[in-house]
Amino acid sequence: MTHSGAYVYDPDRPAGSLHLRAARVLEGNWTGTSTVPSHGLYPHQWSWDSAFIAIGLRHLSPLRAQTELETLLGAQWGDGRIPHIVFNPSVPLDAYFPSPDFWRSSTAGRAAGAPRTVQTSGIVQPPVHALAAWLVHQADPGLSRSRSFLSRMYPRLAAWHRYLLHRRDLGGGGLASVVHPWEQGMDNSPCWDAPLSRVTPAAPRSFRRADLDHGSAEDRPTDLDYGRYVRLATDYRDGGYADGAGEFAVEDPAFNALLIASEHALAAIARELGAAGTARHARAERLTAALVERLWDPAEGMFFCRDVYGGDGRGGESYGGDARDEGESGALGSERGSPESGALASERRPSESGAHGSERGSRSGALAPEQHSAESGAHASERRSRQSGAHASEQRSRAGALIPERSVAGLLPLILPALPRDIAATLVRTAGGPHFGLGGVARLAPSYDLTGHAFDPHRYWRGPAWFNTNWLLERGLRLHGEHGRAEELRAALLETADTSGFAEYVDPYTGEACGALGFSWTAALTLDLLHEPARADQADRPDRADRADRADRADQSTHVVSHPGHRAFDKAQGTPPHTSHASHTPHTPHSSFETGAKGGDRG
């Protein structure tokens, strides 16, 4: 507190330090209930951005980090999906495309349970949210418990995972499929070129690209690609956002690895709320086995995307790669007999279709809301749309074809604690090899193969390095005992954030800034890396075959301790002070999740 009585956030770092500059970026992009990625190019709330932002915000203000996630999940749909954009009604429609009037969520998404009182997109983004929620809880467990943060988040997160594991198991092998390139997050990756070639683009004059007002056309997707994105989104909207009817369905290794990591986090949340969590750890391990079975290519030493609707019509390969035809012999083959043929099939009970069915009856009611608000919407929507998801996939080829394009997504399963040791070691070698150059010719791991035919060091997701994917690689390296490589990557990330002005993405060779500056997840994850010494207690050890050790490693992969200076940040920003003791009196709502102001039409 200064002599004038004002609170000042002072984490014992010099003025102008990287830590303080990162905090200023997040403060500048804060809207009051959430954080925009950047005010110009991205003026709304994005799903996986908010998860990464919350991970960094927890070091400044666990309360604000909780609010970030609460606002996002307040816009969840009845079928469980978390939309990739929550629109700010105060932003003009022409500031961003596709705008709310394109998605028409409250009308076109009615059958899927879209909220009526907030406008969203109809597609999703990678499921980092449960991992983020667990890390945010650990930053201040007393505050989290006093606000019932996890008990309110858990049923929504469980419904989100159910949606992905059932409605999006379009390949029938237990993995979730994305139905639009924007859902995977790496929007313009060359991995999408082959499956997108089947899509007839929308007419160029049927839409106006607002992104070109903020960035160079040479760095952004082409008009042809954008026309195909618009066509896919239009058809999905006009079909009532029902899954399984479109022309695009891809099983992506990064999307599914983040889902598995979040399953481990949900197991930790369940234990915090009084349940065993063992069913979720077991499910995560089965999903890891399915990921290896369907997407791992041992000859190439990495994971590849699978085009669910690709192939020669007989389930074979058509893209010229060395991928194998698994047909019906995948790791989860024995579970495919029922319409719910994914990783959860063996755990379902006739009257217990929730994600924690096998754990019910042993807890004290902490998770009871899952049986009501979150499940009711998801199940009602499922009854209204029986032909979507896994049901529709029965009419399609389940084998598909691996897409022989090397993307950083194929390295990200390194974040999984149950990944076989030989596969983890191979991924480390691939990351440092000629295709990604990590620790060698590349400052940061590129988004796409340095030697690939489509590589461009500046064009969106076709070569530039991104902070979030490299942050995930740093965690994965550390998790599997590669501490030296992890430390090198951490140092390179911090230097690049510093010199690039917290850029959206950078040239992987030079670190030259590309895209928006003052980008929120870059600043947030910089803060997390600056608190790296607090993660040293992960004490990663060599993998052992027994389940107890893998569960322990899963705990390590989701454990972190936060910096103690966050209360001063809350005070400096005018947030009411709080106590971190469980006996804290009932709080005044700080977010639309609690007040219902933007929370949709579900109680």
Side-chain angles (χ1 to χ4, degrees):
M1 181 180 291
T2 66
H3 292 296
S4 64
Y7 285 103
V8 176
Y9 176 58
D10 181 9
D12 297 325
R13 286 168 172 81
S17 69
L18 186 61
H19 188 285
L20 288 173
R21 285 185 284 127
R24 290 191 188 107
V25 168
L26 294 180
E27 174 58 24
N29 290 340
W30 176 250
T31 68
T33 55
S34 64
T35 310
V36 299
S38 70
H39 278 292
L41 185 54
Y42 306 105
H44 301 286
Q45 183 180 25
W46 262 259
S47 172
W48 77 326
D49 289 74
S50 277
F52 288 120
I53 289 165
I55 288 170
L57 267 179
R58 80 192 196 278
H59 298 296
L60 301 176
S61 168
L63 179 60
R64 185 173 291 191
Q66 291 176 29
T67 301
E68 183 81 37
L69 295 173
E70 290 165 353
T71 300
L72 177 68
L73 268 70
Q76 187 174 24
W77 289 28
D79 63 2
R81 81 181 75 192
I82 298 174
H84 98 296
I85 301 175
V86 180
F87 289 106
N88 183 343
S90 67
V91 173
L93 288 178
D94 62 358
Y96 182 82
F97 179 84
S99 51
D101 57 341
F102 172 87
W103 295 104
R104 305 171 199 165
S105 61
S106 59
T107 54
R110 185 176 298 134
R116 290 194 296 264
T117 57
V118 61
Q119 294 297 312
T120 76
S121 65
I123 60 175
V124 303
Q125 277 191 322
V128 200
H129 311 88
L131 175 60
W134 178 241
L135 296 178
V136 167
H137 163 79
Q138 288 184 308
D140 193 335
L143 172 69
S144 175
R145 291 166 187 146
S146 72
R147 299 183 73 246
S148 302
F149 172 66
L150 290 182
S151 62
R152 289 183 292 113
M153 294 291 281
Y154 183 89
R156 293 176 181 262
L157 293 168
W160 167 223
H161 285 207
R162 275 197 305 278
Y163 168 78
L164 293 173
L165 291 170
H166 292 298
R167 305 290 290 279
R168 288 299 190 88
D169 182 15
L170 302 179
L175 300 181
S177 293
V178 296
V179 299
H180 194 290
W182 291 339
E183 292 197 314
Q184 194 267 354
M186 304 178 193
D187 304 8
N188 196 37
S189 171
C191 295
W192 319 136
D193 291 353
L196 275 178
S197 67
R198 298 191 295 265
V199 178
T200 302
R205 295 185 178 180
S206 65
F207 59 92
R208 189 190 78 83
R209 295 181 58 179
D211 63 318
L212 297 182
D213 296 340
H214 303 276
S216 169
E218 288 74 22
D219 293 347
R220 305 293 298 174
T222 66
D223 286 341
L224 178 61
D225 285 334
Y226 219 89
R228 286 174 168 143
Y229 303 154
V230 172
R231 171 66 66 189
L232 278 176
T234 301
D235 291 348
Y236 193 39
R237 176 200 68 199
D238 293 347
Y241 296 109
D243 296 311
E247 299 177 82
F248 184 98
V250 173
E251 294 172 353
D252 173 77
F255 190 100
N256 281 281
L258 288 169
L259 175 60
I260 296 166
S262 281
E263 273 291 305
H264 283 300
L266 271 185
I269 293 173
R271 289 198 304 272
E272 166 68 21
L273 297 176
T278 52
R280 287 208 175 274
H281 276 313
R283 181 177 304 131
E285 292 192 7
R286 287 198 302 277
L287 288 168
T288 301
L291 185 74
V292 171
E293 180 68 24
R294 289 184 65 81
L295 304 185
W296 174 248
D297 188 328
E300 297 296 335
M302 66 180 299
F303 291 86
F304 287 91
C305 295
R306 178 174 290 276
D307 181 0
V308 172
Y309 301 155
D312 59 7
R314 298 182 300 276
E317 308 300 337
S318 65
Y319 293 137
D322 296 326
R324 299 158 295 154
D325 178 7
E326 283 95 8
E328 291 295 309
S329 62
L332 303 185
S334 62
E335 300 177 359
R336 292 179 183 162
S338 71
E340 295 175 308
S341 57
L344 302 184
S346 65
E347 295 184 12
R348 304 285 279 191
R349 304 287 187 269
S351 61
E352 297 178 333
S353 56
H356 260 274
S358 63
E359 296 176 17
R360 288 183 182 145
S362 63
R363 50 197 148 126
S364 59
L367 306 184
E370 181 186 352
Q371 301 177 40
H372 302 290
S373 61
E375 282 192 348
S376 60
H379 293 172
S381 176
E382 205 162 350
R383 289 193 296 270
R384 288 192 296 265
S385 187
R386 290 288 186 184
Q387 295 306 309
S388 65
H391 305 297
S393 70
E394 306 255 344
Q395 305 171 18
R396 304 271 192 163
S397 166
R398 286 184 173 184
L402 291 186
I403 302 171
E405 297 284 4
R406 296 179 181 87
S407 160
V408 70
L411 304 177
L412 295 188
L414 200 59
I415 65 174
L416 300 179
L419 196 67
R421 181 167 50 188
D422 60 327
I423 291 180
T426 301
L427 284 177
V428 172
R429 289 195 298 272
T430 301
H435 298 295
F436 295 94
L438 190 62
V441 297
R443 178 179 294 199
L444 299 177
S447 51
Y448 176 68
D449 183 0
L450 293 170
T451 69
H453 68 97
F455 174 77
D456 185 327
H458 290 171
R459 192 178 287 277
Y460 208 61
W461 289 110
R462 299 179 82 86
W466 291 72
F467 218 79
N468 64 331
T469 55
N470 279 270
W471 177 86
L472 289 166
L473 281 176
E474 192 269 351
R475 286 184 70 90
L477 289 168
R478 201 171 296 277
L479 176 66
H480 290 282
E482 297 287 343
H483 297 289
R485 288 185 173 92
E487 187 56 37
E488 289 178 6
L489 180 53
R490 172 180 174 265
L493 280 163
L494 292 176
E495 180 186 2
T496 303
D498 189 14
T499 58
S500 71
F502 304 103
E504 180 181 2
Y505 51 99
V506 299
D507 183 307
Y509 292 117
T510 67
E512 176 190 348
C514 302
L517 300 182
F519 200 70
S520 288
W521 79 26
T522 304
L525 297 177
T526 295
L527 286 169
D528 190 64
L529 292 170
L530 287 170
H531 289 82
E532 188 71 48
R535 286 201 340 224
D537 62 348
Q538 288 181 9
D540 304 300
R541 295 164 296 151
D543 190 18
R544 297 196 299 268
D546 62 285
R547 178 177 299 246
D549 181 66
R550 287 202 291 256
D552 184 51
R553 295 179 72 226
D555 289 343
Q556 294 168 15
S557 71
T558 58
H559 180 68
V560 74
V561 178
S562 187
H563 185 274
H566 51 254
R567 290 184 184 84
F569 183 85
D570 287 335
K571 293 176 181 178
Q573 311 312 321
T575 307
H578 61 271
T579 176
S580 61
H581 299 293
S583 60
H584 182 59
T585 55
H587 67 284
T588 300
H590 291 289
S591 73
S592 57
F593 183 91
E594 299 168 65
T595 63
K598 292 180 64 179
D601 56 348
R602 294 164 316 182

